[in-house]
Amino acid sequence: MDPQAPYVGKLLVDTMRLGNSNLYSSCIYRPGATRWSSHYDSVCDLIEMYDAVCTVLENIKEDGSTGSLRGEATGGYNAIRQFEFVFILHLLKEIMGLTDILCRELQHKSQDIVNAMNLVGTTKDVLGELRLNGWETFIGKVDLFCRKHDIDMPDMNAQYKVGTGRSCQQKDNITVEHHYHFDIFNDAIDFQLAELNSRFSEGAMELLILSSALDPSDSFKSFDIDKICSLAERFYPQDFTPKELHILRCQLKIYEADVPHHPVLQKVSTLSELCRGLVETKRSERYYLIDRLIRLVLTLPVSTATTERAFSAMKLVKTALRNKMENEFLADSMVVYIEKELADNINSDVITKDFNSLKDRRAQLQ
């Protein structure tokens, strides 16, 4: 995203803090550090309530309780009345609006991998179309917004100047339109596409799509022996020998006739539930190669939900009183906090008894 984008986000937070009234604090969505979709909601709210935000800042400029508060309000007001701020604000809304569905989809703990990968490809195509043919429509929206709110629109055919006066960075052949079109609009979209290509390369997307053949949802409707064997052969050559690949295909044929009809396993809907079910029904030993492949697939990072939960948990676990906590202890504490469902089943008395039996102690733990 454009370097100005973090400043836009900071100004959103500062504006809500300065306008500390029930009206505005209840209407402008507060952006969260660990949920990217919340920034999109904040941007949309600021555009919708632009006049109200300007009014709040103007009132604080005049009637702020302290000089620093009045100064911040003055700076914020001057910034949001600039064309460049409005331009970047609308660009954020445009790009984040196109990626918001994908962002929310990847936050789900259980994924339909095929649909998720199709959504990734569709999002890339739409962003590419915006880059190639979306400039005229986009700048028209910005122009209409500026006219509605009395914001000075620069002459797009004028020479673009870096700062005031002469500069070593000055390019005499660059117009204002060229700067906003290619240096900001196109660059921001290219950056977003580069991030998506980095996160979801063609190889990664193929890996995830092949992995979906193991998905047990909807009565194993995605099950495909050829895709599963191709997955093991192409992406996990060091985990399966040629002989094991042949055995894997044979196991898959028996697995297809057995597992989908098992009264317990036919009810599972996710790979993690299937993995647990195979262990509970002792079929992980019978289909040991399939079990190995499922465990490898479970390590693939698709959903962002776990990552976001980890960042949220870190803020709660590592408080000011625990700021000297070592990384290993922090990691263990976060695992217990994040996996509350598993931690609730742990009997602390059993742990104390085992720890106490390790060696003789001066003081008894029980």
Side-chain angles (χ1 to χ4, degrees):
M1 192 57 64
D2 187 82
Q4 289 281 357
Y7 174 71
V8 176
K10 180 179 182 300
L11 187 56
L12 289 172
V13 178
D14 289 344
T15 300
M16 288 184 286
R17 179 173 57 81
L18 293 172
N20 188 19
S21 66
N22 293 331
L23 174 61
Y24 302 116
S25 63
S26 62
C27 293
I28 297 182
Y29 196 94
R30 182 176 294 277
T34 59
R35 287 199 174 272
W36 187 244
S37 57
S38 64
H39 293 261
Y40 174 62
D41 295 329
S42 299
V43 168
C44 292
D45 289 343
L46 181 56
I47 291 176
E48 183 179 349
M49 301 181 60
Y50 183 81
D51 284 336
V53 172
C54 290
T55 301
V56 170
L57 292 176
E58 282 185 309
N59 291 338
I60 298 175
K61 280 200 311 178
E62 302 296 331
D63 305 321
S65 58
T66 63
S68 61
L69 191 62
R70 292 192 296 272
E72 288 186 48
T74 301
Y77 179 80
N78 293 337
I80 69 175
R81 297 294 300 174
Q82 297 294 319
F83 170 79
E84 185 167 4
F85 177 87
V86 172
F87 181 90
I88 294 175
L89 189 66
H90 280 76
L91 182 57
L92 285 172
K93 179 183 178 183
E94 196 75 25
I95 295 177
M96 295 172 70
L98 295 177
T99 58
D100 185 60
I101 296 177
L102 175 61
C103 180
R104 294 179 186 275
E105 185 70 21
L106 294 178
Q107 289 174 345
H108 296 162
K109 292 189 67 175
S110 58
Q111 292 286 339
D112 183 340
I113 296 178
V114 175
N115 288 335
M117 293 305 100
N118 289 337
L119 186 57
V120 170
T122 302
T123 303
K124 290 181 182 179
D125 293 340
V126 174
L127 286 172
E129 179 65 21
L130 174 65
R131 187 187 188 281
L132 292 176
N133 303 311
W135 168 254
E136 295 297 334
T137 302
F138 173 76
I139 197 63
K141 293 179 182 178
V142 177
D143 181 40
L144 182 63
F145 184 89
C146 290
R147 294 176 185 275
K148 178 180 178 181
H149 299 281
D150 297 324
I151 298 172
D152 293 333
M153 182 90 172
D155 182 2
M156 288 296 178
N157 296 319
Q159 177 184 337
Y160 174 73
K161 295 182 179 180
V162 179
T164 58
R166 298 297 300 174
S167 170
C168 61
Q169 299 177 350
Q170 185 65 51
K171 298 179 181 179
D172 295 334
N173 60 337
I174 298 299
T175 64
V176 173
E177 181 178 7
H178 184 281
H179 168 68
Y180 283 104
H181 186 178
F182 296 97
D183 296 341
I184 298 181
F185 182 81
N186 282 7
D187 276 2
I189 298 175
D190 288 342
F191 184 86
Q192 187 69 55
L193 287 171
E195 287 295 312
L196 287 174
N197 289 329
S198 175
R199 179 69 173 81
F200 300 101
S201 63
E202 291 185 3
M205 291 180 67
E206 183 182 7
L207 168 60
L208 293 171
I209 291 174
L210 289 177
S211 301
S212 67
L214 288 165
D215 187 6
S217 61
D218 295 332
S219 301
F220 295 81
K221 73 172 185 179
S222 300
F223 185 83
D224 189 308
I225 293 178
D226 292 332
K227 286 184 177 180
I228 296 172
C229 291
S230 177
L231 170 68
E233 181 178 3
R234 296 183 56 186
F235 292 97
Y236 299 105
Q238 297 181 353
D239 297 285
F240 296 90
T241 65
K243 179 181 178 181
E244 287 179 332
L245 289 174
H246 173 72
I247 298 174
L248 174 64
R249 181 176 289 274
C250 296
Q251 286 189 6
L252 286 169
K253 293 178 180 179
I254 306 300
Y255 174 95
E256 184 179 19
D258 175 24
V259 172
H261 307 290
H262 191 277
V264 174
L265 297 177
Q266 67 181 358
K267 299 178 182 179
V268 301
S269 58
T270 65
L271 271 181
S272 58
E273 292 178 358
L274 175 61
C275 187
R276 286 195 296 268
L278 290 175
V279 174
E280 293 171 356
T281 59
K282 305 298 183 181
R283 277 165 171 72
S284 60
E285 300 174 5
R286 181 185 303 174
Y287 310 114
Y288 63 95
L289 292 177
I290 301 175
D291 180 70
R292 183 193 304 174
L293 185 58
I294 291 175
R295 291 174 185 271
L296 290 171
V297 170
L298 284 173
T299 65
L300 296 176
V302 180
S303 173
T304 63
T306 303
T307 304
E308 292 179 349
R309 289 175 65 198
F311 278 107
S312 299
M314 188 180 296
K315 294 173 61 178
L316 297 174
V317 172
K318 193 169 185 178
T319 62
L321 297 176
R322 301 171 180 160
N323 60 353
K324 293 186 178 181
M325 182 185 295
E326 294 183 357
N327 291 336
E328 185 177 357
F329 185 29
L330 173 62
D332 293 340
S333 300
M334 288 181 59
V335 168
V336 174
Y337 182 85
I338 294 172
E339 304 296 342
K340 292 180 180 178
E341 298 85 356
L342 299 177
D344 288 341
N345 297 325
I346 298 175
N347 189 331
S348 58
D349 293 334
V350 175
I351 297 176
T352 304
K353 182 179 179 180
D354 292 342
F355 188 74
N356 189 52
S357 63
L358 293 177
K359 63 178 182 179
D360 295 333
R361 304 177 186 277
R362 294 181 180 178
Q364 293 299 316
L365 300 178
Q366 290 183 320

